[in-house]
Amino acid sequence: MPMPDLPLRYQPDYAVPPGASLAEALEDQGMTQAELARRTNRPAKTISEIVTGKAMITPETALQFERVLGIPASFWSNLERNYREVLARQAEQRQLEADVGWLKGFPMADLKRLGFVRYDADRVGQLRDLLVFFGVASVEAWNNNYHESLQAHFRKSSAHPVVPGALAAWLRVGELWARQIESAPFDRARFAAALPRLRELMQRPASEYGHRLREECLRCGVVVVYVPCFKGSRASGAACWLTAHRPLILLSDQYRWEDQFCFSFFHEAGHVLLHNKHRKFVDIDGEAQDADAEGEANVFAADALIPRPVIGEFEQRETKSIAAITAFAAQVQVHPGIVVGRLQHDRMLGWDRCNGLRRRLRIVIPETAGRSDSGAAR
């Protein structure tokens, strides 16, 4: 849903008060300010302040000037509106110049690459693009709308601190791309029934099943979006609701391994099926803000890939060789890398063992880059 280019408009960097035009009109008609005050029944001080730009020309005053001076009220109202807009833009420019240091907290290179921030813009222009990207009017508004919400909903990592701006940008890109994707109405039962098929798809490389994963979920009313992880965001996945009837599963390449990518998908699916649609769940290494919900999503994902009784029986076996793992994976119809990842997570296999069975993540789900409904052209 590309945003049309805005028409170019001349925006002067100086402001001429409407009172200057009023002074000219009075001079042309040979009328003093005091006489205009008497004819409009206004205090002389008010007329003087309008001339100097200290007082505004109200709609009522514009009508009075029309009657007394014969100049349409719309002329005076337009002068006043334009004057106040220029003043507001000047104030905004000063505030933006003071706030440009705020850009350091965001992955500007990624946002430029994706087309949300212009390459050729100066620092103030980039800040404007960033505010438009987030759909907020100011840095203060961003802090009120994003920072506290992020602190309340994502899993923190003490070892690798999250950069709030990077995480917020990653989530926002996913949200904007998701808005451009059409889906069927959400059907909870249909989505739950589709998960075994999606699990079977994951026996293939992610580069092959990425589109099928998206399509199957869209038929169930679930939007799946892939956004490469931004430096500092630390996010492997997220789940939220775009509307009351449109859940979003957002995935990244944070872990670089397919088995972890698969687990992240089912983890987010668990949030969609099990938890409050008014919550936003963002999954990052470390402690969870909502340990119960994250624990439930972890159990859901683990059982969706390999049920606990099944993997439990295999873990009791003495031999966990490459051949044994490969045979077991064929038996339960998952890729061997998923078995290895599970065994490593359960500490039944060393982190350095059998990694040759795991696949590096090569996901191919091209999203809409470039200008969006809240983006800026390169």
Side-chain angles (χ1 to χ4, degrees):
M1 190 164 56
M3 184 177 78
D5 290 334
L6 296 176
L8 294 176
R9 294 172 51 195
Y10 171 64
Q11 295 179 348
D13 58 1
Y14 57 90
V16 179
S21 296
L22 178 59
E24 290 180 6
L26 291 174
E27 184 178 355
D28 289 344
Q29 298 192 23
M31 188 182 300
T32 65
Q33 292 183 28
E35 183 179 353
L36 178 62
R38 292 193 300 273
R39 289 176 178 272
T40 58
N41 199 31
R42 293 277 179 174
K45 181 181 179 181
T46 299
I47 299 300
S48 175
E49 289 180 343
I50 290 175
V51 170
T52 59
K54 295 179 180 179
M56 296 178 61
I57 298 177
T58 66
E60 294 77 14
T61 303
L63 286 171
Q64 292 172 344
F65 287 174
E66 179 181 83
R67 295 192 191 103
V68 174
L69 300 173
I71 301 173
S74 59
F75 172 80
W76 301 111
S77 295
N78 288 337
L79 283 180
E80 184 65 46
R81 185 184 65 252
N82 293 338
Y83 175 62
R84 297 300 164 182
E85 181 180 334
V86 171
L87 290 182
R89 289 189 181 279
Q90 290 176 340
E92 180 197 49
Q93 178 74 13
R94 290 191 295 271
Q95 185 61 57
L96 291 174
E97 289 171 354
D99 287 340
V100 291
W102 186 66
L103 293 171
K104 295 178 181 178
F106 295 88
M108 300 303 292
D110 290 309
L111 294 176
K112 289 177 183 178
R113 175 175 53 82
L114 296 176
F116 291 104
V117 174
R118 290 167 295 167
Y119 277 102
D120 58 352
D122 61 15
R123 298 276 286 169
V124 170
Q126 290 177 30
L127 179 52
R128 281 199 181 95
D129 290 348
L130 189 61
L131 294 173
V132 170
F133 164 71
F134 280 113
V136 294
S138 65
V139 171
E140 182 181 6
W142 187 92
N143 288 329
N144 292 336
N145 282 273
Y146 280 88
H147 192 71
E148 292 183 5
S149 174
L150 287 172
Q151 293 294 333
H153 293 302
F154 67 74
R155 299 199 300 177
K156 295 180 180 178
S157 170
S158 56
H160 303 284
V162 173
V163 178
L167 179 57
W170 181 77
L171 291 168
R172 180 64 170 169
V173 169
E175 175 191 341
L176 293 176
W177 282 346
R179 286 181 182 178
Q180 302 177 50
I181 301 172
E182 295 183 0
S183 67
F186 178 60
D187 188 323
R188 181 178 299 273
R190 186 173 185 179
F191 182 53
L195 294 182
R197 296 197 303 275
L198 299 178
R199 173 182 174 273
E200 291 179 14
L201 277 179
M202 291 174 178
Q203 295 182 67
R204 308 175 187 176
S207 58
E208 296 180 16
Y209 69 69
H211 287 288
R212 285 284 307 279
L213 177 72
R214 158 79 62 76
E215 292 167 0
E216 289 280 349
C217 290
L218 288 177
R219 281 193 280 269
C220 302
V222 179
V223 181
V224 176
V225 172
Y226 166 74
V227 180
C229 192
F230 295 163
K231 183 179 180 180
S233 72
R234 306 291 305 167
S236 60
C240 63
W241 291 72
L242 300 167
T243 69
H245 306 289
R246 268 173 64 84
L248 165 64
I249 290 177
L250 181 55
L251 300 171
S252 83
D253 55 355
Q254 166 68 12
Y255 291 128
R256 308 292 181 179
W257 293 101
E258 271 198 28
D259 55 287
Q260 292 171 309
F261 179 83
C262 296
F263 184 89
S264 291
F265 168 78
F266 282 102
H267 179 97
E268 307 311 334
H271 282 311
V272 170
L273 292 171
L274 301 175
H275 299 134
N276 191 325
K277 65 174 59 177
H278 299 294
R279 291 288 311 277
K280 178 180 290 184
F281 296 94
V282 184
D283 297 309
I284 300 170
D285 286 340
E287 297 180 359
Q289 285 284 345
D290 189 339
D292 290 340
E294 294 301 331
E296 289 170 355
N298 281 338
V299 170
F300 181 91
D303 284 349
L305 287 168
I306 311 174
R308 278 169 290 179
V310 176
I311 191 68
E313 186 276 330
F314 181 75
E315 288 178 343
Q316 296 304 312
R317 299 181 190 178
E318 186 173 339
T319 302
K320 298 180 180 67
S321 63
I322 290 178
I325 290 172
T326 302
F328 174 72
Q331 175 189 336
V332 297
Q333 295 184 307
V334 297
H335 187 268
I338 291 176
V339 179
V340 172
R342 179 68 170 273
L343 293 174
Q344 290 178 346
H345 178 271
D346 292 347
R347 300 181 182 236
M348 302 301 294
L349 197 66
W351 295 107
D352 59 344
R353 289 195 55 199
C354 302
N355 284 320
L357 293 177
R358 302 173 75 194
R359 291 188 300 216
R360 286 284 184 179
L361 183 62
R362 297 288 186 273
I363 187 73
V364 180
I365 310 179
E367 304 295 358
T368 304
R371 195 162 192 167
S372 76
D373 61 339
S374 292
R378 293 188 179 188

